[in-house]
Amino acid sequence: MRTQFSDNSRNRKFQMEGNASCGVVFLLGIALIGCRQPPREAVALQYAYSWNEDRPQERTLLQRFTQETGIGVTNIPIPEASREYVDLAHKLLQDGSGPDLLNVDLIWTPILEPDLIDLQPYLAPEIAQLDPQLLRNYSVNGKLVAVPFNVPLGGLQYRTDLLREYGYAHPPRTWDELESMAERIQKGERAKGRKDFWGYVWQGNAAESLTCNALEWQESAGGGRIIEQNRTISVNNPAAIGAWQRARHWIGWISPPGVVAYRETDTMLIFDSGRAAFSRVWVLTPMSRKGEARQIGWRSSLPPLKTGLARMPGGSEGSAGTLGGTGTAISSHSTHRQEAIALLRFQLRSLIDEGEKYNGPAAPNQVELSNPPSMADPRVPSVSSTQLASVIVARPSIETGSAYKAVSEAYSDAVHSVLTGQSSTPDAAAKLEKQLIEITGFHPGPPRTADNHVR
């Protein structure tokens, strides 16, 4: 009996040990199966930025980010027209189908703010090194909704070779000089057989670009900035009316009749093909560390062509250049928020660390700078005291908030009606004033005198 009991005990022992071994094998099998599971799909961020931001340096930076992190970045092209883009971005963000990151024009931040995250909690060390004056334009309701990388100002591009050929030592400093120089050069080039040559090209389409152009015309003439910082509507005044009339006179004289339909790409193509002496452009000022900036121009497609950049011509109140700029924002609906923040941090640190090495877009071949727009030193040699002021004028987006789009549309439509001869200038200004009162609820008031700071 003892032998049988012992045998049974040994059998139970072997059975238990066998069961334990099977359990270990089973668990090990599960672990091995888990190890053989396919890796998580790589994240690919959707990044919406415009054609003029799609530069070799930016592409190289995004490639470096992907190489170092394994996070892919796909560009979603956005429309050239600023107003079309804000409508599209607003719709995509609200639908939750929009990009993870997007470029936001500073004037559209109040409209898109509800669908953008506050960047300050995530990027505080990097943001602390940026210029607070620039960040102010991207702050809405206490949120920093975008970080600016480039700060463009309205400026003048010109043919340095033609200026020398026709005996000019400097680009035009006033609108009167622009008119006389453009007329003379245009006449001379046409005498050589270039019948499609024009003196001055600019953006006259009834779009945001016209708002920027016309604002420069009237601000330099003492006509104010449409709506002043004290929220008074100043646009219906003799100086603004006179500035619009002057521009109307250019059409068919020193500017082509089709200029009333031109956007930025149209003027760039005409100037780059050598068919214009002067062109209104954006002069880009890449932002890095505090106090560091320099002027950058557009690329010319003609290598032998020498071009220069200057501040906009001035009137009785000096020169005025419209403040532009886009900042990078992150959608609050993004499912890859941390990866998007990592990309934005990578961009900021690269820009801050490399500082002066960052070249931005390739400058025009043999570019020459002449009195470029500058907040630091607005002085112009040999110019009368009334023309010393150089104002960087901001569109009234901060004052009007989410109503800015309607304000700008009403303004550009009114100016365009003058340029095309559909309305007399006084009638257009009076009608616009009434429209702006209805849109904003603000009251009319006089334009403020220009001074040496951002208005």
Side-chain angles (χ1 to χ4, degrees):
M1 295 292 294
R2 284 194 299 269
T3 301
Q4 185 179 358
F5 177 78
S6 299
D7 291 341
N8 290 339
S9 298
R10 281 195 298 270
N11 290 337
R12 284 196 300 270
K13 178 180 179 182
F14 292 150
Q15 186 179 10
M16 291 174 63
E17 289 175 350
N19 290 340
S21 298
C22 290
V24 171
V25 172
F26 178 72
L27 293 174
L28 181 60
I30 291 177
L32 290 174
I33 291 172
C35 292
R36 287 196 295 270
Q37 295 255 342
R40 290 179 60 191
E41 185 178 350
V43 172
L45 294 171
Q46 301 292 311
Y47 190 177
Y49 52 91
S50 60
W51 59 272
N52 59 340
E53 298 287 341
D54 187 20
R55 301 184 292 265
Q57 289 84 352
E58 297 299 333
R59 291 195 292 270
T60 299
L61 190 65
L62 295 179
Q63 289 169 1
R64 277 178 42 209
F65 173 76
T66 298
Q67 291 170 356
E68 295 183 17
T69 65
I71 301 171
V73 183
T74 301
N75 174 32
I76 302 177
I78 61 179
E80 177 185 346
S82 178
R83 293 173 191 160
E84 293 174 7
Y85 170 57
V86 70
D87 289 338
L88 176 62
H90 194 220
K91 180 179 183 300
L92 291 176
L93 287 171
Q94 291 195 327
D95 289 347
S97 58
D100 301 289
L101 302 97
L102 64 159
N103 277 4
V104 179
D105 193 308
L106 59 88
I107 57 175
W108 305 131
T109 51
I111 296 175
L112 301 178
E113 174 267 326
D115 296 293
L116 304 175
I117 71 168
D118 184 2
L119 298 173
Q120 183 67 44
Y122 302 100
L123 301 167
E126 292 79 16
I127 290 170
Q129 299 185 59
L130 304 180
D131 190 336
Q133 287 295 323
L134 298 174
L135 294 175
R136 183 175 69 91
N137 294 291
Y138 298 89
S139 299
V140 182
N141 298 328
K143 290 171 55 178
L144 180 63
V145 298
V147 176
F149 286 96
N150 291 310
V151 183
L153 304 173
L156 186 73
Q157 190 172 23
Y158 62 95
R159 288 279 300 272
T160 58
D161 56 337
L162 291 181
L163 261 63
R164 292 191 184 98
E165 180 180 341
Y166 288 88
Y168 297 114
H170 57 77
R173 298 166 179 165
T174 66
W175 292 114
D176 288 340
E177 286 185 353
L178 172 75
E179 291 173 350
S180 63
M181 292 166 72
E183 181 183 31
R184 184 182 173 199
I185 295 172
Q186 177 179 298
K187 183 178 179 180
E189 292 302 295
R190 290 187 176 186
K192 299 176 185 177
R194 307 184 65 191
K195 301 303 182 183
D196 60 347
F197 189 92
W198 291 95
Y200 181 42
V201 291
W202 39 279
Q203 300 81 40
N205 187 278
E208 191 63 29
S209 54
L210 179 57
T211 294
C212 297
N213 277 258
L215 184 56
E216 291 163 352
W217 305 335
Q218 69 179 57
E219 175 71 20
S220 66
R225 58 186 291 260
I226 309 171
I227 295 175
E228 303 297 327
Q229 290 178 336
N230 63 359
R231 290 177 167 77
T232 56
I233 299 168
S234 63
V235 71
N236 187 14
N237 66 80
I241 290 171
W244 298 359
Q245 288 173 333
R246 179 195 282 269
R248 172 73 179 92
H249 184 52
W250 295 337
I251 300 172
W253 172 37
I254 60 172
S255 299
V259 75
V260 294
Y262 286 3
R263 299 180 186 269
E264 275 88 353
T265 50
D266 300 308
T267 54
M268 287 173 62
L269 288 171
I270 291 174
F271 186 87
D272 287 355
S273 64
R275 292 182 287 133
F278 302 100
S279 175
R280 193 273 184 191
V281 296
W282 287 107
V283 180
L284 300 178
T285 315
M287 182 187 68
S288 55
R289 288 166 288 190
K290 290 180 180 177
E292 294 183 358
R294 64 191 187 87
Q295 282 69 39
I296 301 294
W298 298 108
R299 179 194 296 273
S300 172
S301 62
L302 297 179
L305 182 65
K306 295 190 91 174
T307 62
L309 296 172
R311 66 183 60 191
M312 291 301 296
S316 61
E317 294 296 325
S319 170
T322 302
L323 177 66
T326 57
T328 300
I330 296 176
S331 168
S332 60
H333 308 289
S334 171
T335 57
H336 305 300
R337 180 178 297 193
Q338 293 306 316
E339 291 85 356
I341 291 168
L343 173 55
L344 190 48
R345 181 181 292 112
F346 185 85
Q347 290 177 302
L348 279 171
R349 287 182 178 176
S350 296
L351 190 60
I352 292 169
D353 291 344
E354 295 181 12
E356 296 177 356
K357 297 180 183 178
Y358 182 80
N359 294 319
N365 186 58
Q366 298 177 304
V367 66
E368 296 182 9
L369 293 177
S370 177
N371 302 326
S374 171
M375 284 186 282
D377 185 4
R379 295 171 295 175
V380 180
S382 305
V383 180
S384 65
S385 59
T386 58
Q387 295 158 3
L388 288 177
S390 181
V391 175
I392 298 172
V393 58
R395 288 162 283 177
S397 58
I398 293 178
E399 292 78 10
T400 56
S402 59
Y404 175 74
K405 183 172 181 288
V407 167
S408 182
E409 286 178 343
Y411 177 74
S412 63
D413 286 347
V415 176
H416 195 261
S417 71
V418 171
L419 299 177
T420 56
Q422 295 176 322
S423 303
S424 71
T425 315
D427 288 347
K431 180 181 176 181
L432 175 61
E433 182 181 67
K434 293 179 181 179
Q435 287 179 295
L436 297 183
I437 291 173
E438 292 177 1
I439 293 170
T440 65
F442 300 160
H443 301 290
R448 291 185 57 190
T449 302
D451 47 26
N452 271 351
H453 62 274
V454 178
R455 292 194 54 222

mmCIF file of all heavy atoms in Angstrom, residues 53 106 131 133-135 137-138 148-154 282-288 292-296 322-326 373 375 392 454:
data_model
loop_
_atom_site.group_PDB
_atom_site.id
_atom_site.type_symbol
_atom_site.label_atom_id
_atom_site.label_comp_id
_atom_site.label_asym_id
_atom_site.label_seq_id
_atom_site.Cartn_x
_atom_site.Cartn_y
_atom_site.Cartn_z
ATOM 1 N N GLU A 53 5.939 80.059 -48.693
ATOM 2 C CA GLU A 53 6.646 79.476 -47.561
ATOM 3 C C GLU A 53 7.349 78.177 -47.957
ATOM 4 O O GLU A 53 8.140 77.640 -47.192
ATOM 5 C CB GLU A 53 5.663 79.176 -46.415
ATOM 6 C CG GLU A 53 4.960 80.395 -45.842
ATOM 7 C CD GLU A 53 5.888 81.259 -45.004
ATOM 8 O OE1 GLU A 53 6.935 80.757 -44.582
ATOM 9 O OE2 GLU A 53 5.557 82.436 -44.801
ATOM 10 N N LEU A 106 -1.619 86.906 -39.666
ATOM 11 C CA LEU A 106 -1.909 87.586 -38.391
ATOM 12 C C LEU A 106 -3.286 88.227 -38.353
ATOM 13 O O LEU A 106 -3.888 88.375 -37.282
ATOM 14 C CB LEU A 106 -0.820 88.617 -38.088
ATOM 15 C CG LEU A 106 -0.568 89.757 -39.077
ATOM 16 C CD1 LEU A 106 -1.462 90.956 -38.784
ATOM 17 C CD2 LEU A 106 0.887 90.189 -39.044
ATOM 18 N N ASP A 131 10.443 88.187 -29.886
ATOM 19 C CA ASP A 131 10.072 89.582 -29.672
ATOM 20 C C ASP A 131 8.608 89.685 -29.239
ATOM 21 O O ASP A 131 7.709 89.318 -30.000
ATOM 22 C CB ASP A 131 10.284 90.350 -30.973
ATOM 23 C CG ASP A 131 10.155 91.858 -30.788
ATOM 24 O OD1 ASP A 131 9.483 92.283 -29.827
ATOM 25 O OD2 ASP A 131 10.728 92.603 -31.587
ATOM 26 N N GLN A 133 6.671 92.201 -29.063
ATOM 27 C CA GLN A 133 5.882 93.095 -29.907
ATOM 28 C C GLN A 133 5.291 92.347 -31.096
ATOM 29 O O GLN A 133 4.175 92.618 -31.536
ATOM 30 C CB GLN A 133 6.756 94.252 -30.406
ATOM 31 C CG GLN A 133 7.099 95.273 -29.343
ATOM 32 C CD GLN A 133 5.860 96.008 -28.842
ATOM 33 O OE1 GLN A 133 4.943 96.313 -29.607
ATOM 34 N NE2 GLN A 133 5.820 96.309 -27.551
ATOM 35 N N LEU A 134 6.049 91.384 -31.615
ATOM 36 C CA LEU A 134 5.557 90.595 -32.739
ATOM 37 C C LEU A 134 4.541 89.562 -32.274
ATOM 38 O O LEU A 134 3.554 89.289 -32.960
ATOM 39 C CB LEU A 134 6.720 89.909 -33.444
ATOM 40 C CG LEU A 134 7.754 90.853 -34.058
ATOM 41 C CD1 LEU A 134 8.926 90.073 -34.610
ATOM 42 C CD2 LEU A 134 7.123 91.703 -35.151
ATOM 43 N N LEU A 135 4.774 88.991 -31.105
ATOM 44 C CA LEU A 135 3.859 87.982 -30.577
ATOM 45 C C LEU A 135 2.483 88.561 -30.274
ATOM 46 O O LEU A 135 1.479 87.857 -30.305
ATOM 47 C CB LEU A 135 4.444 87.355 -29.313
ATOM 48 C CG LEU A 135 5.728 86.533 -29.495
ATOM 49 C CD1 LEU A 135 6.256 86.076 -28.147
ATOM 50 C CD2 LEU A 135 5.489 85.340 -30.400
ATOM 51 N N ASN A 137 0.613 90.322 -32.031
ATOM 52 C CA ASN A 137 -0.308 90.211 -33.153
ATOM 53 C C ASN A 137 -0.894 88.814 -33.296
ATOM 54 O O ASN A 137 -1.815 88.608 -34.085
ATOM 55 C CB ASN A 137 0.411 90.596 -34.447
ATOM 56 C CG ASN A 137 0.809 92.057 -34.479
ATOM 57 O OD1 ASN A 137 -0.031 92.938 -34.563
ATOM 58 N ND2 ASN A 137 2.099 92.318 -34.369
ATOM 59 N N TYR A 138 -0.351 87.846 -32.560
ATOM 60 C CA TYR A 138 -0.831 86.467 -32.644
ATOM 61 C C TYR A 138 -1.459 86.004 -31.339
ATOM 62 O O TYR A 138 -1.648 84.818 -31.131
ATOM 63 C CB TYR A 138 0.321 85.540 -33.038
ATOM 64 C CG TYR A 138 0.884 85.859 -34.399
ATOM 65 C CD1 TYR A 138 1.918 86.790 -34.552
ATOM 66 C CD2 TYR A 138 0.362 85.282 -35.544
ATOM 67 C CE1 TYR A 138 2.418 87.095 -35.808
ATOM 68 C CE2 TYR A 138 0.858 85.586 -36.797
ATOM 69 C CZ TYR A 138 1.887 86.500 -36.919
ATOM 70 O OH TYR A 138 2.377 86.812 -38.156
ATOM 71 N N PRO A 148 5.156 83.514 -35.017
ATOM 72 C CA PRO A 148 5.611 84.040 -36.312
ATOM 73 C C PRO A 148 7.073 83.703 -36.582
ATOM 74 O O PRO A 148 7.907 83.749 -35.682
ATOM 75 C CB PRO A 148 5.426 85.551 -36.150
ATOM 76 C CG PRO A 148 5.594 85.791 -34.678
ATOM 77 C CD PRO A 148 5.051 84.570 -33.991
ATOM 78 N N PHE A 149 7.364 83.379 -37.842
ATOM 79 C CA PHE A 149 8.732 83.134 -38.266
ATOM 80 C C PHE A 149 9.229 84.224 -39.204
ATOM 81 O O PHE A 149 10.400 84.537 -39.235
ATOM 82 C CB PHE A 149 8.835 81.776 -38.970
ATOM 83 C CG PHE A 149 8.760 80.614 -38.027
ATOM 84 C CD1 PHE A 149 7.566 79.966 -37.803
ATOM 85 C CD2 PHE A 149 9.886 80.181 -37.348
ATOM 86 C CE1 PHE A 149 7.490 78.895 -36.928
ATOM 87 C CE2 PHE A 149 9.822 79.115 -36.473
ATOM 88 C CZ PHE A 149 8.621 78.463 -36.256
ATOM 89 N N ASN A 150 8.335 84.782 -40.011
ATOM 90 C CA ASN A 150 8.700 85.847 -40.942
ATOM 91 C C ASN A 150 7.807 87.055 -40.718
ATOM 92 O O ASN A 150 6.615 86.903 -40.481
ATOM 93 C CB ASN A 150 8.558 85.377 -42.389
ATOM 94 C CG ASN A 150 9.592 84.338 -42.749
ATOM 95 O OD1 ASN A 150 10.774 84.534 -42.514
ATOM 96 N ND2 ASN A 150 9.150 83.223 -43.304
ATOM 97 N N VAL A 151 8.407 88.219 -40.798
ATOM 98 C CA VAL A 151 7.663 89.460 -40.614
ATOM 99 C C VAL A 151 7.839 90.296 -41.877
ATOM 100 O O VAL A 151 8.793 91.059 -41.995
ATOM 101 C CB VAL A 151 8.171 90.233 -39.384
ATOM 102 C CG1 VAL A 151 7.323 91.480 -39.164
ATOM 103 C CG2 VAL A 151 8.170 89.348 -38.156
ATOM 104 N N PRO A 152 6.946 90.146 -42.859
ATOM 105 C CA PRO A 152 7.090 90.902 -44.105
ATOM 106 C C PRO A 152 6.480 92.294 -44.025
ATOM 107 O O PRO A 152 5.499 92.524 -43.330
ATOM 108 C CB PRO A 152 6.346 90.033 -45.125
ATOM 109 C CG PRO A 152 5.311 89.325 -44.326
ATOM 110 C CD PRO A 152 5.854 89.172 -42.929
ATOM 111 N N LEU A 153 7.086 93.212 -44.760
ATOM 112 C CA LEU A 153 6.585 94.571 -44.886
ATOM 113 C C LEU A 153 6.424 94.889 -46.364
ATOM 114 O O LEU A 153 7.175 94.376 -47.202
ATOM 115 C CB LEU A 153 7.565 95.576 -44.266
ATOM 116 C CG LEU A 153 7.955 95.363 -42.809
ATOM 117 C CD1 LEU A 153 9.045 96.347 -42.421
ATOM 118 C CD2 LEU A 153 6.743 95.520 -41.907
ATOM 119 N N GLY A 154 5.476 95.743 -46.664
ATOM 120 C CA GLY A 154 5.318 96.180 -48.040
ATOM 121 C C GLY A 154 6.533 96.971 -48.473
ATOM 122 O O GLY A 154 6.998 97.867 -47.758
ATOM 123 N N TRP A 282 6.424 92.036 -51.093
ATOM 124 C CA TRP A 282 6.620 91.872 -49.660
ATOM 125 C C TRP A 282 8.110 91.703 -49.395
ATOM 126 O O TRP A 282 8.760 90.857 -50.021
ATOM 127 C CB TRP A 282 5.877 90.642 -49.144
ATOM 128 C CG TRP A 282 4.399 90.805 -49.073
ATOM 129 C CD1 TRP A 282 3.472 90.249 -49.890
ATOM 130 C CD2 TRP A 282 3.670 91.588 -48.118
ATOM 131 N NE1 TRP A 282 2.208 90.631 -49.522
ATOM 132 C CE2 TRP A 282 2.292 91.454 -48.429
ATOM 133 C CE3 TRP A 282 4.040 92.400 -47.046
ATOM 134 C CZ2 TRP A 282 1.297 92.099 -47.711
ATOM 135 C CZ3 TRP A 282 3.041 93.039 -46.316
ATOM 136 C CH2 TRP A 282 1.693 92.887 -46.644
ATOM 137 N N VAL A 283 8.644 92.514 -48.529
ATOM 138 C CA VAL A 283 10.042 92.398 -48.127
ATOM 139 C C VAL A 283 10.061 91.627 -46.822
ATOM 140 O O VAL A 283 9.554 92.093 -45.797
ATOM 141 C CB VAL A 283 10.691 93.786 -47.946
ATOM 142 C CG1 VAL A 283 12.148 93.638 -47.520
ATOM 143 C CG2 VAL A 283 10.607 94.577 -49.246
ATOM 144 N N LEU A 284 10.606 90.423 -46.849
ATOM 145 C CA LEU A 284 10.533 89.526 -45.705
ATOM 146 C C LEU A 284 11.643 89.792 -44.705
ATOM 147 O O LEU A 284 12.800 89.968 -45.068
ATOM 148 C CB LEU A 284 10.607 88.073 -46.168
ATOM 149 C CG LEU A 284 9.497 87.625 -47.127
ATOM 150 C CD1 LEU A 284 9.723 86.188 -47.540
ATOM 151 C CD2 LEU A 284 8.149 87.788 -46.482
ATOM 152 N N THR A 285 11.280 89.781 -43.430
ATOM 153 C CA THR A 285 12.224 89.978 -42.350
ATOM 154 C C THR A 285 12.167 88.768 -41.440
ATOM 155 O O THR A 285 11.348 88.720 -40.529
ATOM 156 C CB THR A 285 11.870 91.245 -41.536
ATOM 157 O OG1 THR A 285 11.573 92.294 -42.431
ATOM 158 C CG2 THR A 285 13.011 91.661 -40.645
ATOM 159 N N PRO A 286 13.005 87.737 -41.650
ATOM 160 C CA PRO A 286 12.935 86.553 -40.799
ATOM 161 C C PRO A 286 13.215 86.887 -39.346
ATOM 162 O O PRO A 286 14.144 87.624 -39.036
ATOM 163 C CB PRO A 286 14.026 85.640 -41.361
ATOM 164 C CG PRO A 286 14.249 86.140 -42.742
ATOM 165 C CD PRO A 286 14.006 87.613 -42.693
ATOM 166 N N MET A 287 12.401 86.371 -38.464
ATOM 167 C CA MET A 287 12.553 86.630 -37.038
ATOM 168 C C MET A 287 13.326 85.494 -36.391
ATOM 169 O O MET A 287 13.003 84.340 -36.545
ATOM 170 C CB MET A 287 11.188 86.752 -36.368
ATOM 171 C CG MET A 287 11.270 87.077 -34.885
ATOM 172 S SD MET A 287 9.637 87.018 -34.131
ATOM 173 C CE MET A 287 9.275 85.290 -34.232
ATOM 174 N N SER A 288 14.375 85.824 -35.645
ATOM 175 C CA SER A 288 15.073 84.806 -34.861
ATOM 176 C C SER A 288 15.073 85.242 -33.416
ATOM 177 O O SER A 288 14.033 85.336 -32.794
ATOM 178 C CB SER A 288 16.480 84.596 -35.405
ATOM 179 O OG SER A 288 17.195 85.812 -35.463
ATOM 180 N N GLU A 292 16.983 90.650 -33.751
ATOM 181 C CA GLU A 292 17.699 90.222 -34.948
ATOM 182 C C GLU A 292 16.738 90.107 -36.119
ATOM 183 O O GLU A 292 15.756 89.400 -36.064
ATOM 184 C CB GLU A 292 18.384 88.870 -34.728
ATOM 185 C CG GLU A 292 19.498 88.925 -33.703
ATOM 186 C CD GLU A 292 20.197 87.590 -33.566
ATOM 187 O OE1 GLU A 292 19.777 86.638 -34.247
ATOM 188 O OE2 GLU A 292 21.147 87.504 -32.789
ATOM 189 N N ALA A 293 17.026 90.808 -37.180
ATOM 190 C CA ALA A 293 16.204 90.730 -38.384
ATOM 191 C C ALA A 293 16.994 91.302 -39.546
ATOM 192 O O ALA A 293 17.892 92.109 -39.365
ATOM 193 C CB ALA A 293 14.907 91.516 -38.199
ATOM 194 N N ARG A 294 16.670 90.863 -40.736
ATOM 195 C CA ARG A 294 17.274 91.458 -41.913
ATOM 196 C C ARG A 294 16.318 91.305 -43.087
ATOM 197 O O ARG A 294 15.455 90.431 -43.089
ATOM 198 C CB ARG A 294 18.638 90.862 -42.243
ATOM 199 C CG ARG A 294 18.654 89.401 -42.621
ATOM 200 C CD ARG A 294 20.095 88.905 -42.652
ATOM 201 N NE ARG A 294 20.194 87.566 -43.166
ATOM 202 C CZ ARG A 294 20.302 87.257 -44.447
ATOM 203 N NH1 ARG A 294 20.293 88.219 -45.334
ATOM 204 N NH2 ARG A 294 20.396 86.012 -44.851
ATOM 205 N N GLN A 295 16.491 92.158 -44.087
ATOM 206 C CA GLN A 295 15.569 92.191 -45.203
ATOM 207 C C GLN A 295 15.917 91.117 -46.231
ATOM 208 O O GLN A 295 17.070 90.926 -46.572
ATOM 209 C CB GLN A 295 15.589 93.573 -45.870
ATOM 210 C CG GLN A 295 14.804 94.622 -45.117
ATOM 211 C CD GLN A 295 15.454 94.982 -43.813
ATOM 212 O OE1 GLN A 295 16.661 95.069 -43.721
ATOM 213 N NE2 GLN A 295 14.654 95.196 -42.787
ATOM 214 N N ILE A 296 14.900 90.455 -46.707
ATOM 215 C CA ILE A 296 15.060 89.414 -47.711
ATOM 216 C C ILE A 296 14.095 89.702 -48.845
ATOM 217 O O ILE A 296 12.979 90.152 -48.607
ATOM 218 C CB ILE A 296 14.745 88.019 -47.125
ATOM 219 C CG1 ILE A 296 15.669 87.722 -45.941
ATOM 220 C CG2 ILE A 296 14.892 86.942 -48.187
ATOM 221 C CD1 ILE A 296 17.115 87.588 -46.311
ATOM 222 N N THR A 322 2.899 98.206 -45.223
ATOM 223 C CA THR A 322 1.931 97.394 -44.484
ATOM 224 C C THR A 322 2.627 96.235 -43.788
ATOM 225 O O THR A 322 3.478 95.562 -44.366
ATOM 226 C CB THR A 322 0.856 96.831 -45.432
ATOM 227 O OG1 THR A 322 0.207 97.912 -46.092
ATOM 228 C CG2 THR A 322 -0.184 96.022 -44.661
ATOM 229 N N LEU A 323 2.260 95.999 -42.541
ATOM 230 C CA LEU A 323 2.789 94.881 -41.774
ATOM 231 C C LEU A 323 2.054 93.608 -42.163
ATOM 232 O O LEU A 323 0.832 93.548 -42.152
ATOM 233 C CB LEU A 323 2.611 95.135 -40.270
ATOM 234 C CG LEU A 323 3.049 94.010 -39.332
ATOM 235 C CD1 LEU A 323 4.551 93.802 -39.389
ATOM 236 C CD2 LEU A 323 2.607 94.322 -37.897
ATOM 237 N N GLY A 324 2.810 92.604 -42.560
ATOM 238 C CA GLY A 324 2.227 91.316 -42.888
ATOM 239 C C GLY A 324 2.780 90.246 -41.962
ATOM 240 O O GLY A 324 3.358 90.545 -40.928
ATOM 241 N N GLY A 325 2.614 89.024 -42.343
ATOM 242 C CA GLY A 325 3.207 87.943 -41.562
ATOM 243 C C GLY A 325 2.268 86.780 -41.337
ATOM 244 O O GLY A 325 1.057 86.951 -41.197
ATOM 245 N N THR A 326 2.858 85.593 -41.339
ATOM 246 C CA THR A 326 2.116 84.388 -40.991
ATOM 247 C C THR A 326 2.813 83.694 -39.839
ATOM 248 O O THR A 326 4.042 83.698 -39.751
ATOM 249 C CB THR A 326 2.034 83.415 -42.183
ATOM 250 O OG1 THR A 326 3.363 83.100 -42.629
ATOM 251 C CG2 THR A 326 1.244 84.007 -43.325
ATOM 252 N N PRO A 373 12.884 98.993 -45.584
ATOM 253 C CA PRO A 373 12.040 99.275 -44.433
ATOM 254 C C PRO A 373 12.742 98.867 -43.150
ATOM 255 O O PRO A 373 13.342 97.801 -43.069
ATOM 256 C CB PRO A 373 10.795 98.424 -44.683
ATOM 257 C CG PRO A 373 10.804 98.185 -46.148
ATOM 258 C CD PRO A 373 12.233 98.126 -46.547
ATOM 259 N N MET A 375 12.410 99.326 -38.702
ATOM 260 C CA MET A 375 11.852 99.936 -37.495
ATOM 261 C C MET A 375 12.959 100.638 -36.718
ATOM 262 O O MET A 375 12.727 101.572 -35.976
ATOM 263 C CB MET A 375 11.202 98.867 -36.629
ATOM 264 C CG MET A 375 9.853 98.410 -37.143
ATOM 265 S SD MET A 375 9.035 97.270 -36.029
ATOM 266 C CE MET A 375 9.902 95.755 -36.374
ATOM 267 N N ILE A 392 5.372 101.709 -40.201
ATOM 268 C CA ILE A 392 4.924 100.346 -40.446
ATOM 269 C C ILE A 392 3.467 100.317 -40.029
ATOM 270 O O ILE A 392 3.141 100.419 -38.851
ATOM 271 C CB ILE A 392 5.757 99.336 -39.643
ATOM 272 C CG1 ILE A 392 7.219 99.413 -40.078
ATOM 273 C CG2 ILE A 392 5.217 97.932 -39.827
ATOM 274 C CD1 ILE A 392 8.142 98.597 -39.219
ATOM 275 N N VAL A 454 4.864 101.262 -35.165
ATOM 276 C CA VAL A 454 3.820 100.451 -35.778
ATOM 277 C C VAL A 454 2.466 101.023 -35.404
ATOM 278 O O VAL A 454 2.172 101.230 -34.234
ATOM 279 C CB VAL A 454 3.915 98.991 -35.299
ATOM 280 C CG1 VAL A 454 2.785 98.169 -35.903
ATOM 281 C CG2 VAL A 454 5.248 98.386 -35.690
#
